[in-house]
Amino acid sequence: MTFQETWLPFIYLYGAGGLAFFLGLILIIKTKALRLDYFKHKKWLGVLLYGLFFYMFIHSMFIFLAISS
Amino acid sequence: MEQMLGTGLDRAVILFYFAIVMGFGAYFGKYSKTTTDYFFGGRRFSWWLITISIVATGIGSHSFVKYTTKAYQYGFSSTMTYMNDWFFMPLFMFGWLPIIYYSKVRSIPEYFERRFNPTARYLATFMILLYMIGYIAIQFLTLATALYKIYGIPLMLTVLLIAFATTIYMHYGGQTSVIFTDLIQGFVLIFAGVLLFFLGIQFLGMNTDMSGFKAFWTFLSPENKLPLANFNSPPDFNFVGIFWQDGIAGSIGFLFLNQGLIMRFMAAKSVDEGRKAAAFNVLIILPISAIVVSNAGWIGRAIANGVPGVIPENVVANDVFVIVTNIISSPGVFGFIIAALCAALMSTADTLVNASSAIIVNDIYRPLTKKSKSEEEQLHFARMASIIVKIIAVILVPFFNSFDSIYEAHGWFHSTFTPPLVVAVFMGIFWKRFTSAAVIATFIFGAFLMILGQFNPELISPFSHGIELRPGRGYSYIGALYNLVVCAGVGILVTLFSKPDKDNKLDGLTVFDVHKLKFLYKGSEPNEAKGTDIIVDWKEDKKLKDGVRFSQNDMKKMKASQGDLVYLQDARLWLGGLKSIHSVFEKPHNEDGVVYIGSKQIDHGQFIKKNSLKAEKEM
């Protein structure tokens, strides 16, 4: 399997998608839509970051499994 | 005549399922007394109810056919479109969701009028209605294609019967019926998908010399196990094209423009419940849904590789779902799985029909009627509008049937109607400077440049990422990137050369004002002091109109003051807020553990005398 099939889509997905994610995060923090001084909002920030890494983990795990099989 | 699939038992199971859903939906008609109830379910439901009902909305009947086809051809990468929605969650949960909830807009076009001007609203109304009614037509067509093979009745007659069946339960119930029927249909869909996977594994175990799981894993090629498609080939299924079409344009369209989905979030009892529903949906439900809609294709591929001759070599891609299901399931079970396909259709179509009639009432009927109409008249019109929407959708079915496949029809639809709306709403929320002139230019000139691109693929070539151009067929998915760029380009250019809108006109309509939305919603400073929720008995006070009266001590426990907002629900939490009201704290009394409520509110909340209520201060 080539790089085009395995890791390039992964890098593109989390490069471009990650950029959209973090720009969005910065925007809502800067505009105080998400307030880090609120306990509830802090927990939501944790959920948002967890979600991103959860999907990264799932995608990378299956790429490893496919390569190793 | 083609050979009919399934047995008499299968046909009976499907009919029985239709009857159950229609009865269940019609029962919830009693909870729709106003247009707010009809369209938004009274803004009262818990997050878990919203989440499960979203499952059924997100999985259309076309999903099974479309994703099974891709799963059969390409393996696990068929899940891509279900696993790329997280990137816009920060902006959705903390930008768009509070804006639509607290600004009390009833439809996306209404947001366009408030944020820009009436012309923007009319253009948005036209485009969104076209999009949704076409989508309903595709749903009707997909299910009719499957059922017509099972019952052997003509395709258009099957379409009419399906449209009639969904009308019965939606006509009186509106959003509440939609949410509760989608709740059971969501469970049916997930169960059917898991059952299908289990049956497939069992079939592989029985027909190979390995255990079912081992056979499944062994007979899928390494390429089949990759979770993302090849970067830029083949032209009909490549990662980069699908990323821009679905991961970017589709995700923004789904989260920010899908009137049906937005109405579902507005039916939540609070913004925080909406956030919980959204997060749980994307993190837990969407990956499960991806397996539910794709696994028949993976099983089919493993069977084709491991048990040759069972699946015909020349199988038509769109038929894979029905063929695999028929092979691995016994009579009755096949009927149940096709009933799940019906569930997928009905739940997606009912959401879209309800959303379309909300737009017709809110963005066409109300602005055009000079005299203000009573709630009853509006509700009657809303019900008539939902019938009209279905009639137009049925008329459109032959048009979509003329495409080579449902997948193609759906793809054409997405790439044509989503980009201008996506750019307009996104820039409207996140760029204060974005002007009214710019949004109209985005709709008109953006659409013009998109059409130009469709007829001149060389314009799209610079964006193609090396995807091969198919002669006569142009670029498929990557066209979305070109469309987004030209629409955004027009919007930015016109904004820079036009006069900015006044700042106060934008109050509460952009992400920059989210922090003051609660103030605008309540009309006074929100009370953020954290109190405790309490359980109280209720008594009727015929003099009370909008507010409710608690004892002084109970208000202290809740840290509430007169004028604050309160949410009261039947204390049985499994009802998910079905029997509940939003109200205002009025002058307190001295009878602890009792709340006084007006007759109209008791009727609206459908409260039962012997059952206690749970009260929580909102703000």
Side-chain angles (χ1 to χ4, degrees):
Chain A
M1 282 188 287
T2 62
F3 182 66
Q4 293 250 114
E5 290 172 284
T6 54
W7 291 107
L8 182 58
F10 179 84
I11 293 166
Y12 195 100
L13 178 66
Y14 289 99
L19 186 70
F21 179 85
F22 284 107
L23 284 178
L25 211 55
I26 291 166
L27 184 64
I28 57 171
I29 292 172
K30 286 262 177 210
T31 56
K32 292 186 179 155
L34 186 143
R35 297 183 62 157
L36 294 174
D37 51 336
Y38 285 4
F39 177 68
K40 231 181 200 177
H41 283 199
K42 244 185 187 167
K43 277 209 300 198
W44 276 119
L45 178 65
V47 172
L48 286 168
L49 292 170
Y50 168 80
L52 184 74
F53 292 115
F54 167 77
Y55 275 115
M56 277 179 92
F57 170 74
I58 298 269
H59 279 133
S60 56
M61 185 182 76
F62 271 91
I63 294 172
F64 275 123
L65 282 172
I67 292 171
S68 63
S69 72
Chain B
M1 188 179 165
E2 280 185 64
Q3 192 189 350
M4 279 160 56
L5 292 173
T7 63
L9 181 62
D10 294 319
R11 282 166 214 127
V13 168
I14 296 166
L15 285 177
F16 178 71
Y17 182 78
F18 261 102
I20 292 271
V21 172
M22 283 189 285
F24 196 71
Y27 169 78
F28 286 98
K30 69 177 182 175
Y31 291 96
S32 286
K33 295 184 186 296
T34 64
T35 45
T36 306
D37 294 339
Y38 191 78
F39 294 131
F40 307 111
R43 300 178 189 242
R44 57 184 162 195
F45 297 112
S46 300
W47 69 270
W48 57 268
L49 197 56
I50 304 288
T51 305
I52 304 290
S53 70
I54 289 172
V55 177
T57 303
I59 301 177
S61 52
H62 71 284
S63 310
F64 278 101
V65 176
K66 175 174 151 178
Y67 293 108
T68 299
T69 304
K70 292 299 165 197
Y72 183 75
Q73 293 170 325
Y74 300 104
F76 294 165
S77 53
S78 63
T79 59
M80 271 191 309
T81 54
Y82 275 86
M83 311 269 282
N84 60 13
D85 288 301
W86 194 254
F87 302 122
F88 294 99
M89 288 302 273
L91 293 175
F92 174 73
M93 284 162 67
F94 285 88
W96 189 221
L97 186 59
I99 290 173
I100 50 166
Y101 197 92
Y102 290 132
S103 66
K104 297 180 187 170
V105 290
R106 285 172 161 248
S107 66
I108 307 291
E110 188 183 335
Y111 173 80
F112 275 94
E113 174 162 359
R114 286 213 218 161
R115 171 68 178 84
F116 304 107
N117 60 24
T119 313
R121 180 184 193 161
Y122 294 129
L123 286 168
T125 302
F126 177 71
M127 293 179 82
I128 290 175
L129 272 181
L130 266 182
Y131 175 78
M132 289 198 299
I133 296 174
Y135 211 139
I136 297 164
I138 290 173
Q139 296 294 312
F140 284 163
L141 173 65
T142 316
L143 188 64
T145 309
L147 287 184
Y148 128 89
K149 278 186 184 156
I150 293 167
Y151 286 94
I153 42 179
L155 185 82
M156 278 313 287
L157 182 60
T158 315
V159 169
L160 282 172
L161 290 172
I162 295 165
F164 180 70
T166 48
T167 301
I168 290 177
Y169 77 85
M170 268 202 66
H171 190 65
Y172 294 105
Q175 185 71 299
T176 308
S177 287
V178 170
I179 286 176
F180 276 86
T181 49
D182 283 10
L183 177 72
I184 54 162
Q185 308 215 69
F187 282 118
V188 168
L189 279 173
I190 290 174
F191 179 72
V194 174
L195 177 70
L196 199 60
F197 189 62
F198 172 77
L199 291 172
I201 296 292
Q202 197 183 39
F203 181 90
L204 282 164
M206 281 160 53
N207 290 280
T208 60
D209 52 3
M210 292 180 234
S211 70
F213 269 112
K214 196 171 179 200
F216 174 69
W217 192 253
T218 307
F219 292 122
L220 289 177
S221 68
E223 286 81 5
N224 287 154
K225 291 169 193 161
L226 285 168
L228 303 169
N230 187 312
F231 186 71
N232 58 7
S233 71
D236 71 332
F237 193 72
N238 53 77
F239 164 79
V240 71
I242 292 169
F243 171 76
W244 283 102
Q245 192 227 12
D246 190 89
I248 302 295
S251 292
I252 298 174
F254 185 67
L255 289 168
F256 291 76
L257 282 164
N258 186 323
Q259 173 80 17
L261 188 82
I262 282 164
M263 285 164 70
R264 204 56 66 80
F265 284 117
M266 286 160 87
K269 72 177 184 187
S270 67
V271 169
D272 217 47
E273 292 287 296
R275 284 183 187 131
K276 283 182 201 166
F280 196 82
N281 182 49
V282 181
L283 271 184
I284 312 288
I285 301 293
L286 283 188
I288 294 173
S289 304
I291 297 169
V292 164
V293 297
S294 290
N295 78 73
W298 305 331
I299 294 285
R301 173 51 54 206
I303 292 173
N305 291 346
V307 195
V310 175
I311 296 177
E313 273 181 26
N314 57 349
V315 62
V316 177
N318 277 348
D319 291 343
V320 172
F321 177 77
V322 178
I323 288 174
V324 171
T325 307
N326 198 32
I327 290 169
I328 63 178
S329 57
S330 52
V333 175
F334 176 65
F336 172 72
I337 290 168
I338 298 299
L341 198 69
C342 301
L345 162 102
M346 289 199 285
S347 49
T348 305
D350 61 18
T351 301
L352 289 166
V353 169
N354 191 249
S356 307
S357 69
I359 288 178
I360 291 173
V361 170
N362 198 54
D363 302 295
I364 299 174
Y365 180 69
R366 279 185 187 139
L368 291 182
T369 45
K370 284 174 187 152
K371 270 197 217 164
S372 63
K373 300 282 180 185
S374 69
E375 270 297 329
E376 285 75 21
E377 282 173 302
Q378 291 189 44
L379 200 54
H380 177 72
F381 188 83
R383 286 173 174 144
M384 289 303 121
S386 76
I387 293 178
I388 294 165
V389 163
K390 280 183 189 158
I391 292 171
I392 300 172
V394 169
I395 294 168
L396 284 175
V397 167
F399 167 70
F400 289 109
N401 201 25
S402 68
F403 280 80
D404 283 349
S405 70
I406 288 160
Y407 196 87
E408 214 174 299
H410 197 231
W412 174 82
F413 216 60
H414 250 285
S415 57
T416 310
F417 290 101
T418 318
L421 285 164
V422 161
V423 167
V425 80
F426 210 66
M427 286 166 83
I429 302 164
F430 302 111
W431 192 24
K432 255 188 170 176
R433 177 78 171 77
F434 191 50
T435 63
S436 303
V439 76
I440 291 164
T442 302
F443 281 141
I444 296 171
F445 292 112
F448 170 74
L449 291 171
M450 279 165 48
I451 294 166
L452 211 61
Q454 282 209 353
F455 289 102
N456 302 282
E458 62 276 14
L459 291 174
I460 303 176
S461 292
F463 303 91
S464 71
H465 288 72
I467 297 168
E468 181 196 332
L469 172 63
R470 291 173 299 176
R473 295 174 70 187
Y475 292 104
S476 47
Y477 314 106
I478 201 67
L481 174 58
Y482 163 82
N483 291 345
L484 287 169
V485 169
V486 294
C487 288
V490 168
I492 292 168
L493 273 179
V494 177
T495 296
L496 295 177
F497 289 101
S498 56
K499 206 175 146 196
D501 295 320
K502 281 181 187 153
D503 234 27
N504 60 358
K505 193 188 153 217
L506 309 179
D507 244 11
L509 298 172
T510 66
V511 72
F512 304 94
D513 289 338
V514 167
H515 64 281
K516 60 181 183 192
L517 278 170
K518 280 188 174 179
F519 178 85
L520 295 171
Y521 181 76
K522 188 183 171 190
S524 60
E525 202 57 53
N527 175 355
E528 303 280 12
K530 192 164 167 46
T532 50
D533 300 343
I534 58 166
I535 304 287
V536 286
D537 292 325
W538 62 270
K539 286 182 183 172
E540 188 172 356
D541 180 346
K542 288 188 176 152
K543 286 181 205 152
L544 274 172
K545 282 187 179 165
D546 297 321
V548 290
R549 295 180 63 210
F550 286 84
S551 77
Q552 246 165 355
N553 287 333
D554 286 341
M555 282 177 69
K556 262 186 200 162
K557 282 183 202 163
M558 288 188 274
K559 292 200 175 155
S561 309
Q562 210 175 318
D564 288 344
L565 306 184
V566 60
Y567 174 74
L568 275 159
Q569 63 173 322
D570 191 299
R572 294 169 295 170
L573 293 181
W574 56 268
L575 284 171
L578 178 65
K579 293 173 185 288
S580 63
I581 54 165
H582 290 275
S583 194
V584 181
F585 286 98
E586 291 270 355
K587 198 176 164 192
H589 55 72
N590 291 314
E591 208 179 330
D592 290 346
V594 174
V595 58
Y596 283 90
I597 312 174
S599 320
K600 209 173 160 188
Q601 295 194 89
I602 292 169
D603 181 49
H604 194 234
Q606 304 263 323
F607 296 140
I608 299 168
K609 198 77 196 168
K610 63 181 171 53
N611 290 328
S612 306
L613 303 178
K614 185 182 176 212
E616 54 188 279
K617 182 194 71 188
E618 293 187 278
M619 61 172 86

